[in-house]
Amino acid sequence: MTRDELNAHRLVKEAKETELRSFTRRHFLKESAMGLGAIAMGSLLGGCNFGAKTNNPVLYDPAHPLLPKSPPYFGKAKSVIYLHMAGAPSQLELFDYKPELVKMDGQDCPPSLLAGKKFAFITGVPKMLGPQAQFAQHGQSRAWISDNMPHFSTMADEVSFLKAVSTDQFNHAPAQLLIHTGSARLGRPSIGSWATYGLGTENQNLPGYVVLTSGGSFPDAGKSIWGSGFLPSVYQGVQCRSEGDPVLFIKDPHGMSRDLRKASIDAINASNELEYANYNDPEILSRISQYEMAYRMQISAPEVMNINDEPQYIHEMYGTEPGKSSFANNVLLARKLVEKGVRYVQLFDWGWDAHGDGPNNSLNIGLKNKCRSTDKPITALLLDLKQRGLLDETLVVWGGEFGRTPMMENRNGIQNPYNGRDHHTEAFTMWMAGGGIKKGFTHGETDEIGYSAVSGKVDPFDIQATILNQLGFNHEQFTYPFQGRPFRLTDVAGKVIQDIVA
C-alpha cells in the first residue's frame, strides 16, 4: 500500500470513529460516563431549567463550518440586510426636525456647545445652520421625514427610528469599525461574521455573508470592516459585484473545462487533507470547505447575482440598471440573496460626507444627490420584502457611523464655500425594520437643536446587541475563545433596545 493510500485509509478510519462517537450509544455512554452524573446534578441544582442563563456555546465544525444551526433562543429574524451610508448622513436634513434650529440659522454658535468638545474640523466660533430641507409628518406614526426622502416617507409606519444614537469616535474609519466590529481598532470580527458563525447559512452553494459596495470607493475602514478577525476565515464577508462577474475569477480560465477544474480542486483538497492529518489544524478543514464552496459558487452565484431576468416592474420599482454598478442594483441583489438563504448581506454606499468643502460634499447638492439615488431602492426593498412575506423574518438596518453638527463647519476657522456640517458623535439617527421590530415607532429624542440626546440614548453596542437578539442570541453569552478568554461582539457593554422589539 502506498503512502497516499495509507493516509487515505487513516482519514477514512478517523472519520468513522468520529461518526461513532457522535451517533452510537456505546460511544456516548463510554465518553460521558461521568458526564451523565453531572447532568443529573445540574438538573437538581436548577442549572438546566428552561429560561436559565447558560453560555449556549456554538459548536464549530471545521469540516462543515456553514451548516445551518439553530440559535439558542427563538429569533424572529432569519437574516439581516444592513444598509450603511458610509460618510455619515446628516440626521438634521433627513429625520430629526428641529424648528428651533431654523430660528438660530446664521447666529454665532453658543460657547456652551464648543467648550471642552472635540470636532474633526471646526475651529473658532462657527455659525449655526438651520435645516437644509423641508420636513413634514408622515403616516399614522406622524414621523418627521424630510423632502429628501419622498419615497421612504411612505414607509414611516413600517420602521422604528432610533433618534438618539451616540458614539465615541469622530473619525470615519474608527467609527465604522466600532459600529460593525465592536472595536475602533483592527482585528475584531464583524457582526456579519458573528452571525454566520452562530447560524451558518441555509444555502450551501452561496456564502453566508455577502458584501456589496457602491459609491465608487470602499468605506474608510477598508475591507477589514467585513473581516472575520479571530473567527475562522470562512466567516469573513465575501465581496460580490453588481457589474460584470459577481466574484472575481469565478469563471474557469480559458481552455479549462468544468471537469478539469473539479479535478484540480480535488487534487488541492487531497493535499490539504494530508496536511490536516499531519497537523490537525481545523483551519485546514475550513480551507477545504472554502475550495468546495468556490466550486459550487461558479454555478450558483452567477444565477443569483443576475438581475436581468427580474420583471420590468421590479426594475421600475427599484430604479435598477442591469449591467451597471449602482446602489439600486445592490439593494435588489440583497433581496435576492436573502431569498436564497444568505444569512447576512452588508451594503456599503460611499459618499455621504457633508463638510461643505465642495459641491459633492455639501448638504444642498451632494446629500440631495445621494438621497435621490438611495430613496427609491430602499423603499422598494421594504415593499418587496413585505409582499413576498420576507420582511417579518428579515431585519433591515439603516444608518451611518456618526451624525453631523447643528452648526456649520468652518474649516480652519474659515466658513466653507458650501453649506456643510462637521462630524458629530453625540446624536444621530438610525432605523430598523422587519425581523420582529416594532412598526411606526420612535425611540429616543434629542434636544431642541439636535445636539445631544435627552432620552433613549443608545450606542453601537446596543445596536449590535439588538441585532443579535433578533437573530436569537443573548449577546452576553454568545462568545468565542481567543487569547485565553471568551470574546463577544459587544465585549463588556451593550443592552438590547427592548422598546423597539415587537
Side-chain angles (χ1 to χ4, degrees), residues 231 262 342 366 502:
L231 291 176
K262 181 65 168 67
V342 173

Side-chain angles (χ1 to χ4, degrees), residues 274-295:
L274 291 173
E275 288 295 297
Y276 177 71
N278 289 329
Y279 299 105
N280 202 32
D281 181 358
E283 188 68 17
I284 297 174
L285 294 181
S286 293
R287 191 187 310 153
I288 293 172
S289 176
Q290 286 171 301
Y291 271 110
E292 293 172 347
M293 166 71 77
Y295 179 74

Side-chain angles (χ1 to χ4, degrees), residues 141-440:
S141 61
R142 309 304 293 158
W144 287 99
I145 301 175
S146 83
D147 58 359
N148 282 327
M149 305 289 280
H151 294 93
F152 180 76
S153 64
T154 64
M155 305 301 294
D157 291 336
E158 290 291 336
V159 307
S160 274
F161 290 99
L162 300 169
K163 292 288 189 69
V165 188
S166 66
T167 181
D168 60 6
Q169 299 295 321
F170 62 80
N171 286 321
H172 294 291
Q176 291 167 1
L177 284 168
L178 178 62
I179 205 161
H180 289 286
T181 74
S183 173
R185 291 176 292 278
L186 298 171
R188 297 285 295 276
S190 61
I191 187 169
S193 297
W194 281 102
T196 48
Y197 160 63
L199 296 173
T201 181
E202 294 181 345
N203 190 330
Q204 296 302 298
N205 295 328
L206 293 169
Y209 177 16
V210 172
V211 178
L212 300 164
T213 63
S214 57
S217 181
F218 284 142
D220 296 77
K223 295 183 179 182
S224 58
I225 203 172
W226 59 80
S228 57
F230 49 70
L231 291 176
S233 59
V234 70
Y235 299 118
Q236 68 184 344
V238 175
Q239 185 188 352
C240 294
R241 306 186 305 165
S242 59
E243 179 184 21
D245 289 339
V247 181
L248 291 174
F249 311 114
I250 196 169
K251 290 181 179 178
D252 291 327
H254 181 69
M256 175 175 279
S257 66
R258 183 76 174 157
D259 290 341
L260 183 57
R261 169 54 65 91
K262 181 65 168 67
S264 67
I265 289 177
D266 288 343
I268 293 170
N269 282 345
S271 175
N272 283 327
E273 288 169 357
L274 291 173
E275 288 295 297
Y276 177 71
N278 289 329
Y279 299 105
N280 202 32
D281 181 358
E283 188 68 17
I284 297 174
L285 294 181
S286 293
R287 191 187 310 153
I288 293 172
S289 176
Q290 286 171 301
Y291 271 110
E292 293 172 347
M293 166 71 77
Y295 179 74
R296 295 192 300 269
M297 279 179 62
Q298 286 189 292
I299 299 297
S300 300
E303 178 185 354
V304 175
M305 303 294 288
N306 177 22
I307 65 172
N308 293 321
D309 295 335
E310 291 289 321
Q312 184 59 33
Y313 82 91
I314 288 291
H315 290 299
E316 294 174 356
M317 184 177 177
Y318 281 84
T320 49
E321 299 178 274
K324 295 184 178 181
S325 178
S326 71
F327 177 79
N329 288 8
N330 286 351
V331 173
L332 177 53
L333 287 173
R335 186 270 287 167
K336 294 189 67 177
L337 288 165
V338 298
E339 196 173 29
K340 291 295 184 180
V342 173
R343 188 68 69 184
Y344 201 98
V345 184
Q346 177 70 62
L347 274 66
F348 290 104
D349 186 56
W350 183 85
W352 288 84
D353 223 358
H355 293 285
D357 55 334
N360 291 332
N361 265 13
S362 69
L363 299 170
N364 305 96
I365 301 174
L367 178 68
K368 288 183 180 295
N369 288 337
K370 294 304 294 184
C371 290
R372 193 174 295 115
S373 67
T374 60
D375 176 36
K376 190 174 182 179
I378 290 173
T379 306
L381 174 66
L382 297 177
L383 286 170
D384 201 8
L385 289 171
K386 186 176 181 179
Q387 70 184 12
R388 293 170 188 270
L390 292 171
L391 187 57
D392 288 341
E393 60 186 39
T394 304
L395 175 63
V396 182
V397 183
W398 179 98
E401 58 265 30
F402 43 64
R404 317 302 300 199
T405 59
M407 62 284 278
M408 182 184 295
E409 182 179 314
N410 62 337
R411 190 167 299 196
N412 299 320
I414 302 172
Q415 184 171 315
N416 285 339
Y418 296 87
N419 287 339
R421 303 183 187 276
D422 201 356
H423 305 171
H424 192 52
T425 63
E426 296 196 27
F428 61 104
T429 300
M430 296 180 66
W431 58 258
M432 296 186 186
I437 295 296
K438 284 182 182 178
K439 299 180 179 181

Side-chain angles (χ1 to χ4, degrees), residues 26-183:
R26 180 178 298 174
H27 279 82
F28 171 74
L29 293 171
K30 179 181 177 182
E31 297 297 327
S32 60
M34 297 301 293
L36 290 175
I39 292 172
M41 180 63 74
S43 65
L44 292 174
L45 295 175
C48 296
N49 292 341
F50 289 110
K53 288 187 177 181
T54 63
N55 286 331
N56 291 311
V58 175
L59 299 179
Y60 167 55
D61 179 0
H64 307 285
L66 291 174
L67 282 180
K69 297 184 281 287
S70 298
Y73 302 102
F74 173 71
K76 295 183 179 179
K78 290 184 178 180
S79 56
V80 175
I81 298 176
Y82 195 125
L83 310 169
H84 185 100
M85 309 295 105
S90 173
Q91 74 282 6
L92 297 169
E93 273 67 44
L94 295 177
F95 306 119
D96 204 11
Y97 179 48
K98 297 299 173 184
E100 187 64 26
L101 197 57
V102 178
K103 302 176 185 177
M104 298 178 68
D105 185 49
Q107 298 179 14
D108 286 346
C109 180
S112 60
L113 302 183
L114 303 172
K117 303 295 182 180
K118 291 182 179 180
F119 300 98
F121 295 102
I122 284 177
T123 55
V125 180
K127 301 289 185 182
M128 300 301 292
L129 182 64
Q132 301 298 295
Q134 298 298 315
F135 280 80
Q137 290 178 289
H138 296 272
Q140 294 183 354
S141 61
R142 309 304 293 158
W144 287 99
I145 301 175
S146 83
D147 58 359
N148 282 327
M149 305 289 280
H151 294 93
F152 180 76
S153 64
T154 64
M155 305 301 294
D157 291 336
E158 290 291 336
V159 307
S160 274
F161 290 99
L162 300 169
K163 292 288 189 69
V165 188
S166 66
T167 181
D168 60 6
Q169 299 295 321
F170 62 80
N171 286 321
H172 294 291
Q176 291 167 1
L177 284 168
L178 178 62
I179 205 161
H180 289 286
T181 74
S183 173

